[in-house]
Amino acid sequence: MGDSFKIIAITRPDFFEDEVKMIIDILKQGRTDIIHLRKPGSNSKDIENLIEKIPEEYHPRLKIHDHFELTEKFKLAGIHLNSRNPVVSGNPMSVSRSMHSIEELKGAARYDYVTLSPIFDSISKKGYKAAFNHDMLRNVLKERRNVIALGGVTPEKYQFLKELGFYGAALLSHFFNGEDHRN
């Protein structure tokens, strides 16, 4: 992307037709810095099959949320820790983590970046409401330079998120639920 504000695409939790084509197009067109392959409940073989269909040149721009052993096999960007997989395994190039509270952010410095959610009402998770006061975020983010906004994020909100002090934004619906404006 070239901009210091990082854009992360997160896949839908299900496998769907044309997913590989969408992932390749998003990466090829430079619409995101990295794609998180987030498939809770999937088995290792399904994730492996997905990665194998993506050209090797794009593997360094993929992170996985599950089946961390695939990171080294495919030379992926790294792993993303979450409630299902809270512990680092293997020797990933990059480690990021999901966080859902200001209290959790105290440990953010040990990761390459963390996602904080929900910043706005979620688009993909109905009933998942914004959990943070924006003035409080502005103050907290002055001390943390590796926090990615997640939850209800659209490209129209990038400037506001930059002003709050976020390092970047993570989007699911924009890229994978037919809402991509191809900005």
Side-chain angles (χ1 to χ4, degrees), residues 44-87:
S44 181
K45 191 65 182 159
D46 288 339
I47 297 293
E48 190 169 343
N49 289 338
L50 176 65
I51 295 169
E52 285 175 339
K53 293 174 185 170
I54 299 168
E56 199 172 315
E57 67 186 281
Y58 298 121
H59 290 181
R61 292 176 59 201
L62 301 174
K63 266 197 172 186
I64 53 178
H65 288 220
D66 301 278
H67 311 295
F68 296 157
E69 71 279 2
L70 298 175
T71 304
E72 291 178 47
K73 178 176 181 176
F74 290 102
K75 297 179 178 53
L76 304 179
I79 63 174
H80 186 80
L81 303 176
N82 52 60
S83 59
R84 292 182 318 281
N85 300 294
V87 179

Side-chain angles (χ1 to χ4, degrees), residues 20 28 33 46 87 92 106-108 110 114 117-118 134 164 173 178-179:
V20 171
K28 186 183 291 183
D33 294 288
D46 288 339
V87 179
K106 291 178 181 172
R110 71 177 146 223
V114 298
S117 67
H134 293 157
L164 285 178
S173 293
E179 298 178 23

